[in-house]
Amino acid sequence: MSGVGVSETEQPRRRGRRSRRRARARARRALLAGLVVGSLALLSAGWVGFRGWQARTHLLNAATLAQQLSSEVVGADTERAQRTLSALQVQAGAARDATDDLGWRAGQHTPFAGDDLTAVRQIAVAIDDLAREAFPTLLRTDLSTLLPGKGRLDVPRLKAVAAELTATDQVVQRTHARLAAVPTDALVAPVRDAVAELRKQLDQLATLTRAADGAARLLPPLLGAAGPRSYLMVSQNPAELRATGGMFGAYAVIEAKDGQLRMGIQGTSAQLGLFDPPLKLKPEIRNLYTDLPGMYPADVNLTPHFPTAAALFRQMYRERTGDTVDGVLAVDPVVLSYLLKVTGPVPVPGHTTLVGDKAVRTLLSDAYQRMDAVEQDEFFAASATAAFDTFFTREVDPRAYLSVLDRAITERRVLFWSAHPEEQRVIEGNRLAGSLPEKEDVPTVGVFLNDGSGAKLGYYLRPAATLTVGGCRPDGRRELRLRFTLHSTAPKRGLSTSVLGLGLAGDPYTARTLVSVHSPAGGAVLRTRLDGTEVPVGSGTERRRQVVVANVEVRPGATRTLEVDVLTGRTGSATGDADLWLTPTATPWTTHIDPAPHCD
């Protein structure tokens, strides 16, 4: 073969050079591709960062506007609130748009920032949904529809409002559930804190809309839209403490028909007399409280579970009168004092005028100091009639009225039980029901007070409670430490025989209080100490809670301290949160809860 020849040794070198050139070409192509992809990634990251900055700005603006809207709604400045809502919708919509482009969606799948971008997106969607679908309805709802005017509620208007509130509640509950499902463990601190804060706000809003929806749906049948109804309204007397607030003293029958309300006959629990043999009780109730709840109408609420107390009182009333009521409503004089601040003073014919700041003292102290038993009953009956007529006929600011009712329900000073199971199922879970739950998301310790003196010294007691959450245990439980103190402001002399009563503590000025401590659901009570010394206590169970009962006797001016260590159940303790359920007293409790870090 002519031409330049290639030796056998040269051929491998040429093949090596061609291979290296191909490798360098592949490397250049790979590098070029890498540069393109990297540039796109950097561009995308920059775009996501820019959009994130936009979203953050819009979300911060929305948060400020939401706070402003809340203030304007509470202040009944409807015109300004409408303008604020419009601005909020613009900012919320912009935040939603800023987190919904291709770059943001791609960023949600990246290994490091993806969870944070997803969480920010969910925050934006939640606020926008609320601004567009929930807040407008809540803003235009006529709250006066939920209140009686001239002793009557407009049932057709109430039904129309109920439909809107149901739709609003569905939006809020859907948003609440969606945000609750967002994982937070791997989020950066600012995003995690933002999710936690929004969840907290949504918890409150979801509770509010669920209650409003339930109330709007329940009120028409409760108020006799489908036929006449009757209820027992009982006054709890915190001067003689019972677990739900106070002894069931005076009562009145409330009749409802087509939204019209009127007060019927009145009486007292003492007039219903003694029931012997006692009404049938569940074994766990009898074990803790003996037969007393089934014997005496004033003792039906030794148990803190209001449905049990209400059902017993209804049965006693039926056996004595032959009349069957549809439910039981319980209130106390503190509720009256709240309402009087909205309505103004209420004159009581033949007696003193009831004034907001003085009503509790007038009803729980002065009446027992200055009147005999017959005069007391007459005064309480006249006060109930005057207050009822005022609350259902006087023109008041509906927002102020509903605000004080909400406060009273939150403090468990207003309780309601319906004898109609389908209605009671709607009420259950709301504080209005006074139902001691057998399951709970947050471990809750109950501290319930029952008078053991047979006296009216509860007015002078000042209770306080501190609950400290302990560390995580391998079995998923936690120990909680309760420190309960009870101080007496009673004088050492000068009280009437009506106040001193039976004086079962020996010294008539010493207040004997039976303190029941209920463990969290599924939990247990470990140790009990009174003033630092272990003491014998009664024990039992109620609604999946272990209970101890300690006798705490307090002399005038003295303070006693009860310390109880309890164990939580296996659910709900990981968060480190805890709660207290307390007997409402004439003077509000002083409380403190010391939570613990989340268990890993």
Side-chain angles (χ1 to χ4, degrees):
M1 181 178 294
S2 62
V4 180
V6 179
S7 68
E8 293 182 0
T9 57
E10 184 69 17
Q11 288 179 350
R13 285 197 293 270
R14 288 193 173 188
R15 284 196 297 270
R17 285 194 294 270
R18 286 196 297 271
S19 177
R20 285 192 293 273
R21 283 196 297 271
R22 286 195 295 270
R24 285 195 293 270
R26 286 196 297 271
R28 284 195 298 271
R29 288 195 296 271
L31 179 60
L32 180 60
L35 287 172
V36 171
V37 171
S39 297
L40 288 174
L42 288 172
L43 181 61
S44 176
W47 177 249
V48 169
F50 172 69
R51 298 293 274 173
W53 175 81
Q54 283 187 317
R56 179 180 181 276
T57 300
H58 292 310
L59 288 172
L60 288 174
N61 290 340
T64 301
L65 289 167
Q67 291 177 348
Q68 182 178 332
L69 178 65
S70 175
S71 175
E72 290 163 354
V73 169
V74 171
D77 191 345
T78 305
E79 184 176 342
R80 184 169 294 177
Q82 288 287 2
R83 293 197 297 269
T84 301
L85 176 60
S86 297
L88 172 60
Q89 290 171 333
V90 170
Q91 294 296 325
R96 186 172 192 152
D97 291 343
T99 59
D100 191 35
D101 56 29
L102 288 174
W104 193 282
R105 288 199 293 271
Q108 289 179 254
H109 298 287
T110 58
F112 298 109
D115 290 343
D116 297 295
L117 295 177
T118 299
V120 173
R121 167 67 180 168
Q122 290 299 326
I123 291 173
V125 169
I127 294 176
D128 187 48
D129 283 349
L130 294 174
R132 289 184 300 105
E133 301 180 47
F135 293 162
T137 301
L138 293 176
L139 191 58
R140 67 172 176 265
T141 298
D142 183 3
L143 295 180
S144 64
T145 304
L146 302 176
L147 299 176
K150 298 181 180 179
R152 186 186 189 94
L153 271 88
D154 189 333
V155 174
R157 284 179 60 200
L158 189 58
K159 289 180 177 179
V161 168
E164 287 193 327
L165 288 176
T166 296
T168 300
D169 181 56
Q170 289 173 349
V171 173
V172 173
Q173 301 303 333
R174 183 177 67 243
T175 304
H176 180 258
R178 189 166 58 225
L179 196 68
V182 174
T184 58
D185 291 343
L187 300 180
V188 295
V191 177
R192 183 172 63 248
D193 292 345
V195 172
E197 180 60 27
L198 184 55
R199 281 177 175 172
K200 180 180 178 181
Q201 298 298 326
L202 270 174
D203 284 344
Q204 297 174 353
L205 181 61
T207 300
L208 172 65
T209 58
R210 185 185 297 112
D213 173 44
R217 287 188 289 114
L218 277 178
L219 278 175
L222 289 177
L223 296 173
R229 290 287 187 94
S230 63
Y231 305 96
L232 286 171
M233 182 175 70
V234 299
S235 176
Q236 298 200 84
N237 187 347
E240 189 167 343
L241 286 165
R242 295 293 186 272
T244 63
M247 176 190 73
F248 282 12
Y251 70 82
V253 176
I254 305 298
E255 298 170 350
K257 183 178 180 181
D258 295 327
Q260 186 78 37
L261 300 171
R262 64 177 295 272
M263 180 178 285
I265 62 171
Q266 298 187 55
T268 67
S269 60
Q271 292 169 352
L272 297 178
L274 168 69
F275 288 78
D276 188 13
L279 302 187
K280 186 177 181 180
L281 302 174
K282 291 183 178 180
E284 66 177 16
I285 297 295
R286 182 183 295 108
N287 179 57
L288 278 170
Y289 312 110
T290 69
D291 281 322
L292 290 175
M295 296 174 65
Y296 296 99
D299 286 338
V300 294
N301 55 337
L302 289 173
T303 169
H305 186 58
F306 183 71
T308 295
L312 285 170
F313 197 79
R314 173 180 181 258
Q315 184 178 350
M316 290 175 172
Y317 178 78
R318 180 173 57 197
E319 291 194 11
R320 287 292 185 261
T321 66
D323 296 330
T324 301
V325 297
D326 295 286
V328 178
L329 171 70
V331 296
D332 72 7
V334 179
V335 178
L336 176 62
S337 73
Y338 294 164
L339 293 172
L340 288 171
K341 292 177 181 178
V342 177
T343 65
V346 173
V348 180
H351 298 276
T352 186
T353 296
L354 296 176
V355 180
D357 293 336
K358 300 178 181 178
V360 174
R361 177 173 179 172
T362 299
L363 293 166
L364 297 184
S365 178
D366 294 347
Y368 294 110
Q369 279 288 88
R370 301 172 183 175
M371 302 177 187
D372 61 29
V374 174
E375 291 172 330
Q376 291 165 17
D377 289 344
E378 291 176 352
F379 174 54
F380 294 148
S383 298
T385 300
F388 182 87
D389 291 343
T390 298
F391 297 150
F392 289 101
T393 58
R394 188 175 292 181
E395 293 290 334
V396 296
D397 177 4
R399 284 180 172 81
Y401 197 103
L402 291 174
S403 177
V404 298
L405 278 179
D406 178 67
R407 177 184 178 184
I409 292 171
T410 299
E411 295 175 0
R412 295 191 172 93
R413 297 186 184 278
V414 178
L415 302 171
F416 179 73
W417 171 79
S418 173
H420 300 266
E422 68 280 4
E423 295 172 357
Q424 183 62 21
R425 281 192 292 271
V426 176
I427 298 168
E428 288 285 347
N430 187 293
R431 284 186 176 233
L432 182 68
S435 180
L436 189 65
E438 295 181 305
K439 296 180 180 179
E440 57 194 8
D441 296 326
V442 176
T444 301
V445 176
V447 187
F448 304 112
L449 312 180
N450 282 302
D451 172 71
S453 307
K456 299 293 189 292
L457 294 171
Y459 173 77
Y460 299 98
L461 296 178
R462 303 293 183 267
T466 298
L467 186 63
T468 303
V469 181
C472 306
R473 291 173 33 134
D475 61 359
R477 300 173 181 243
R478 289 182 189 260
E479 281 194 30
L480 310 178
R481 173 158 293 182
L482 170 72
R483 187 176 188 272
F484 164 77
T485 62
L486 192 61
H487 176 73
S488 173
T489 64
K492 295 181 179 180
R493 62 184 65 86
L495 295 178
S496 69
T497 55
S498 290
V499 176
L500 298 177
L502 300 177
L504 297 178
D507 171 19
Y509 286 83
T510 294
R512 171 184 288 174
T513 304
L514 303 177
V515 182
S516 299
V517 177
H518 287 52
S519 78
V525 178
L526 303 177
R527 290 169 292 276
T528 305
R529 297 169 300 282
L530 181 60
D531 297 331
T533 303
E534 290 198 13
V535 292
V537 293
S539 64
T541 58
E542 184 170 12
R543 298 184 62 78
R544 295 190 64 246
R545 298 168 187 269
Q546 189 172 355
V547 182
V548 294
V549 183
N551 178 24
V552 179
E553 298 185 357
V554 191
R555 296 187 304 275
T559 301
R560 305 296 300 275
T561 300
L562 182 70
E563 294 175 292
V564 183
D565 297 334
V566 302
L567 195 62
T568 69
R570 286 187 169 84
T571 58
S573 62
T575 63
D577 295 327
D579 203 357
L580 287 164
W581 185 327
L582 310 168
T583 293
T585 50
T587 300
W589 289 61
T590 300
T591 62
H592 176 72
I593 296 176
D594 187 10
H598 192 287
C599 293
D600 295 330

